[in-house]
Amino acid sequence: MTTEQTAAVGSGTREQAPDLGRNLIYLCGFYPSISEVCRQIGINRQQFNKYTSGAVMPSLFVLKRIADFFGLEVEEICLPHDNLRAIFQIRSNAAPAEVSVGSRLLDDIGMFSQEFSEPLDKYEGYYYRYYYAYDLSGRVVRSLFRLSKSDGFYVTRHIERIFHPSSAGKHKTAFKYRGFATGLSNCIFVLEFESLMKSCIAHAVFPIVPRPGQRYLFGLQTSLSTTHGRPAASRVVLERIRPNIAVRKMLARCGTFEPNSPELEPDLLQLISNENLREDAVVMPRII
């Protein structure tokens, strides 16, 4: 990279260093977290995320601070990604196999979450999430799900309020999940983990079928029955909640219900039913 090109990097044109964001994600993979890197450099995390997503180019002064932290020159940190990896592996005296597995995985997650993700902005908001309880009680769970955007990532929050077996059906236990979502191949993919007891990682996928006034998203999910200690899969439906409703009122409507409860619409029960036609080899979402 020439002196003129280096100067242009700080001018805000992404084309001068198209692999910079990918390089930063790769380099951060050698540290406990991106937040830790930002703290050590002394840079705002939200601003740093704009650099990793490629939305904004850092000034030459900031870029030099970042490069110095990683032990690189400005010209090196802006190199094509494969060239940067080769240089950094040599300088860190790390075996290529040790570097490639973990760091490449973090690199790929970052790219799928930001660079390759299809826009999900119009799907941001609160939803009721419906599915049959994994405790084999035959009851239907209505939980609260939120999709939002933070620091360039689509993030999710999911709260269940379920009667715990130890309370003999008298008290509801809250299970809270945090996760991230990405749009790919006309689907919304969600990966989330139970954040209180660290007891479960769940996955869900919702095909995107755009319709005017869309109310439902239909999908499949996998999770773990904490009662039986076994993984399970089920159909799941997201029902969009109209704006301007207080969160506490949304949560008050969450819980578990008998299928014949007036709280549940008959059409909804058909959409989350896990019955399968005998000739079907796999379970697929029901879409209306």
Side-chain angles (χ1 to χ4, degrees):
M1 184 177 290
T2 66
T3 303
E4 291 78 10
Q5 287 174 318
T6 303
V9 166
S11 67
T13 57
R14 179 180 181 181
E15 291 76 9
Q16 297 295 337
D19 283 358
L20 177 60
R22 192 177 177 190
N23 290 346
L24 292 176
I25 292 173
Y26 166 75
L27 295 170
C28 288
F30 292 93
Y31 294 83
S33 67
I34 293 179
S35 297
E36 177 64 22
V37 170
C38 293
R39 281 193 293 269
Q40 292 196 37
I41 297 177
I43 191 170
N44 181 272
R45 168 67 188 273
Q46 292 184 354
Q47 187 65 22
F48 191 80
N49 284 339
K50 293 179 182 179
Y51 303 153
T52 60
S53 68
V56 173
M57 288 295 299
S59 67
L60 185 56
F61 174 76
V62 173
L63 189 59
K64 189 175 187 313
R65 283 173 54 195
I66 296 173
D68 288 344
F69 173 79
F70 291 115
L72 297 168
E73 299 295 331
V74 170
E75 295 87 346
E76 293 172 332
I77 203 170
C78 295
L79 284 171
H81 184 65
D82 289 342
N83 295 352
L84 181 278
R85 290 175 69 96
I87 289 175
F88 197 77
Q89 286 172 9
I90 293 172
R91 294 197 178 177
S92 63
N93 294 319
E98 294 176 343
V99 173
S100 62
V101 177
S103 60
R104 188 178 291 275
L105 178 59
L106 291 174
D107 195 6
D108 290 343
I109 291 175
M111 286 190 296
F112 274 106
S113 299
Q114 292 184 314
E115 185 176 346
F116 294 156
S117 179
E118 297 166 5
L120 300 178
D121 295 10
K122 65 180 180 180
Y123 296 99
E124 290 186 64
Y126 283 95
Y127 297 80
Y128 289 124
R129 184 166 169 170
Y130 295 90
Y131 46 95
Y132 275 95
Y134 289 156
D135 61 4
L136 306 182
S137 65
R139 295 173 66 87
V140 175
V141 177
R142 177 161 63 198
S143 56
L144 185 62
F145 178 83
R146 183 188 183 190
L147 174 65
S148 60
K149 198 170 186 179
S150 176
D151 297 337
F153 291 87
Y154 292 103
V155 296
T156 64
R157 296 294 302 273
H158 178 209
I159 302 177
E160 297 175 323
R161 298 178 72 235
I162 300 175
F163 287 110
H164 197 277
S166 63
S167 70
K170 296 180 180 179
H171 304 291
K172 291 180 180 178
T173 299
F175 293 90
K176 298 182 179 180
Y177 298 80
R178 296 203 308 266
F180 76 92
T182 188
L184 186 68
S185 300
N186 291 320
C187 289
I188 301 174
F189 291 88
V190 177
L191 184 65
E192 54 194 356
F193 69 95
E194 202 283 312
S195 58
L196 293 179
M197 295 182 289
K198 310 295 189 295
S199 60
C200 175
I201 295 177
H203 171 260
V205 57
F206 300 91
I208 298 174
V209 184
R211 290 180 176 150
Q214 190 171 31
R215 180 182 175 189
Y216 293 124
L217 290 175
F218 317 93
L220 296 176
Q221 64 181 12
T222 59
S223 188
L224 176 73
S225 168
T226 55
T227 304
H228 299 281
R230 294 190 298 234
S234 68
R235 291 186 172 95
V236 57
V237 169
L238 295 180
E239 179 189 16
R240 187 183 286 274
I241 304 173
R242 61 183 177 84
N244 304 321
I245 297 179
V247 174
R248 61 180 180 81
K249 290 185 177 180
M250 300 180 200
L251 284 172
R253 296 196 63 207
C254 294
T256 58
F257 305 88
E258 293 294 338
N260 58 0
S261 168
E263 289 276 345
L264 305 174
E265 299 179 12
D267 289 346
L268 187 65
L269 294 175
Q270 294 181 12
L271 293 172
I272 63 173
S273 170
N274 293 312
E275 293 180 355
N276 208 29
L277 298 177
R278 182 168 298 178
E279 61 267 25
D280 287 347
V282 296
V283 178
M284 301 180 70
R286 290 197 171 100
I287 299 175
I288 58 172

